[in-house]
Amino acid sequence: MALKDYSDEFKADAVALYESTPGATYKSIAADLGINRATLREWVLRDRERRGVTAAPARPASPPAAIASADPDERVRRLEARVAELEASERKLATERDILRKAAKYFAGGDELVSRFQFVHDHRNTYEVKRLCHVLDVSRSSYYKWCAGAEARAARQRQDVALVKEIRRVHGESGGAYGSPRVTAELRENGHRVNEKRVARVMRAFSITGIRLRRRVRTTVPDPAAGTVPDLFGRDFTATEPGRKLMGDITYLPLQGGKFLYLATVLDCFSRKIVGWSIADHMRTDLVADALRMAARTRGSLEGAVFHSDHGAQYGSRAYAGLCDQLGVTRSMGAVGTSADNAACESFHASLKRETLQGDHDYGDATTCRRTVFAWLTRYNTRRRHSTNGHLSPDAYERRHHKAKLTLAA
């Protein structure tokens, strides 16, 4: 379900995201946030009226991505030009030396069997095929078999070139985060009949990679005075219905100058949807309490839900326990110092920082950090494909679940 009661902070972040995104439209930003286009437009116009701005600021157009180009025949032409200058009367040994010298340059990128066949093919009009195969230590029958498959290879290469354009589009729309599994799922939904092995092969060939994990920093500070709370999850992070099993955690968001913001999240185990979050410059109990209150607004009610966390002091405080009692939430905690008991949240925070930092050490200033994380969180729920959901976004997975229930009820 979408948020019905949007906080002032959510509205301000949504407006800031629209105003700061080059080339953005109300439709695209609203789709990422999971809200109505007209609602976003009303917020933006109201904010501009408050600031006395009558027209939207100019949005610089993003420069087109540079596309690497190269002439694969250029090196071959140079080699053939040099070979053409050789005298026909050179002895056999001199000919073999010349072949090996040219082959050494040709194989600078790697001496693979296919490269040897290609070298023979490119130089077959200058030297005898028998001599070339002997010098390069390849079988003539294997070479001729390779030649017979030239048409099929050319067709496959043309298909790969067409496919890589779609892969680059999907990869770019994900912010460079998607690897071959999610790219494959996106392509299939768009009508392309491809398997993951082929997508992975093409991505390797064209040096297209997802974003890799960064080193994780521990933020859990246990409270020795906290009362005992049982582990009601037992590392079972699945649920049969939305709003039944929730998980929470805190992660740091590094800023320039060694400073930090902190993000508290509430994750629904059913669809891995982030139903609540809060960003602040402190790690007090208010941080996790605000995230849980947002989760209650998102779901309408948390009555009967189980909330699982680590033994951080914020989750063990009396104030947080009182909020859980008020909302009808039963608390659950894993073992002290065991990240595996909260693995789903740990994995989520790792993905968030991997895909938003993209190799940088920090987010810059606090405003940029808040805007970047806000945009990613909303897109995560509405569009980002999740492997646990069969490569559906959390919102799409829940819509399918509700539709199935209505069908059974009918």
Side-chain angles (χ1 to χ4, degrees):
M1 295 176 59
L3 279 169
K4 299 299 182 181
D5 180 17
Y6 300 100
S7 65
D8 292 339
E9 181 182 13
F10 185 95
K11 296 177 182 178
D13 286 338
V15 171
L17 176 63
Y18 172 80
E19 296 285 19
S20 64
T21 304
T25 63
Y26 289 121
K27 182 178 180 180
S28 64
I29 296 298
D32 282 346
L33 301 180
I35 62 177
N36 186 273
R37 172 188 175 280
T39 301
L40 175 62
R41 181 175 182 274
E42 180 184 351
W43 293 348
V44 172
L45 294 179
R46 189 179 301 166
D47 181 74
R48 289 177 181 170
E49 182 180 354
R50 177 182 60 80
R51 294 184 288 113
V53 178
T54 58
R59 301 180 184 276
S62 300
I67 301 177
S69 62
D71 183 3
D73 295 329
E74 184 62 28
R75 185 162 41 180
V76 176
R77 284 195 294 269
R78 290 200 302 269
L79 292 173
E80 290 180 338
R82 291 188 60 186
V83 171
E85 296 173 0
L86 296 177
E87 296 182 1
S89 62
E90 283 186 324
R91 294 177 302 162
K92 173 182 175 182
L93 183 58
T95 302
E96 291 182 352
R97 285 178 182 171
D98 190 59
I99 292 173
L100 290 173
R101 183 171 63 252
K102 295 177 186 302
K105 295 181 180 181
Y106 194 92
F107 300 145
D111 181 10
E112 299 178 359
L113 183 60
V114 171
S115 299
R116 297 188 194 190
F117 289 154
Q118 187 65 54
F119 182 86
V120 173
H121 191 70
D122 291 343
H123 296 81
R124 68 191 186 282
N125 295 327
T126 305
Y127 302 104
E128 292 181 347
V129 170
K130 179 180 178 180
R131 177 67 58 200
L132 287 165
C133 290
H134 173 73
V135 172
L136 297 179
D137 193 24
V138 296
S139 167
R140 270 190 294 166
S141 61
S142 297
Y143 163 69
Y144 286 123
K145 184 177 180 180
W146 178 84
C147 289
E151 185 176 344
R153 285 196 306 277
R156 185 166 61 249
Q157 289 174 355
R158 289 192 296 270
Q159 293 169 357
D160 287 349
V161 169
L163 179 60
V164 78
K165 294 179 181 179
E166 292 299 309
I167 290 176
R168 290 189 189 280
R169 179 186 61 78
V170 173
H171 187 257
E173 289 177 354
S174 74
Y178 279 7
S180 58
R182 289 188 173 91
V183 170
T184 303
E186 188 77 22
L187 290 173
R188 286 174 177 170
E189 186 168 291
N190 292 337
H192 295 277
R193 299 181 62 183
V194 293
N195 60 49
E196 185 182 334
K197 289 184 178 180
R198 182 186 176 196
V199 172
R201 174 179 60 78
V202 173
M203 291 180 70
R204 282 195 304 271
F206 289 87
S207 301
I208 304 173
T209 58
I211 302 171
R212 299 182 178 179
L213 284 169
R214 293 172 52 85
R215 183 174 61 89
R216 182 176 58 85
V217 176
R218 184 187 177 203
T219 57
T220 301
V221 181
D223 182 0
T228 302
V229 177
D231 183 354
L232 302 179
F233 270 36
R235 299 188 182 179
D236 179 8
F237 308 126
T238 62
T240 57
E241 291 287 336
R244 300 303 183 198
K245 295 172 68 175
L246 309 174
M247 301 184 69
D249 200 2
I250 301 173
T251 192
Y252 78 106
L253 304 173
L255 307 177
Q256 60 188 6
K259 297 180 180 180
F260 297 93
L261 289 180
Y262 300 93
L263 169 69
T265 53
V266 179
L267 180 147
D268 193 311
C269 291
F270 173 74
S271 62
R272 296 300 197 269
K273 179 173 182 173
I274 298 302
V275 292
W277 71 80
S278 179
I279 302 175
D281 59 0
H282 61 79
M283 291 179 64
R284 296 190 293 271
T285 301
D286 287 345
L287 177 68
V288 295
D290 287 344
L292 189 64
R293 291 190 185 99
M294 179 180 176
R297 293 197 302 271
T298 301
R299 289 305 188 197
S301 173
L302 297 181
E303 186 70 35
V306 177
F307 177 83
H308 185 82
S309 69
D310 56 28
H311 281 261
Q314 301 84 356
Y315 295 112
S317 67
R318 291 183 180 179
Y320 193 76
L323 176 61
C324 288
D325 292 340
Q326 177 185 340
L327 296 175
V329 174
T330 302
R331 290 190 298 157
S332 168
M333 287 186 176
V336 176
T338 305
S339 61
D341 288 347
N342 211 27
C345 279
E346 297 278 354
S347 175
F348 169 78
H349 287 156
S351 296
L352 182 151
K353 286 192 276 191
R354 180 179 69 242
E355 296 182 14
T356 53
L357 284 172
Q358 299 192 8
D360 292 336
H361 294 289
D362 59 67
Y363 291 95
D365 57 75
T367 301
T368 301
C369 175
R370 175 182 288 274
R371 184 183 302 134
T372 301
V373 174
F374 172 78
W376 191 90
L377 286 170
T378 51
R379 184 181 177 85
Y380 168 88
N381 282 338
T382 59
R383 293 193 177 187
R384 186 182 181 277
R385 296 179 181 276
H386 203 297
S387 56
T388 304
N389 298 339
H391 291 298
L392 293 176
S393 69
D395 280 355
Y397 187 74
E398 291 193 2
R399 285 195 299 270
R400 189 178 71 173
H401 173 72
H402 292 313
K403 184 177 179 180
K405 287 184 65 176
L406 291 175
T407 303
L408 289 175

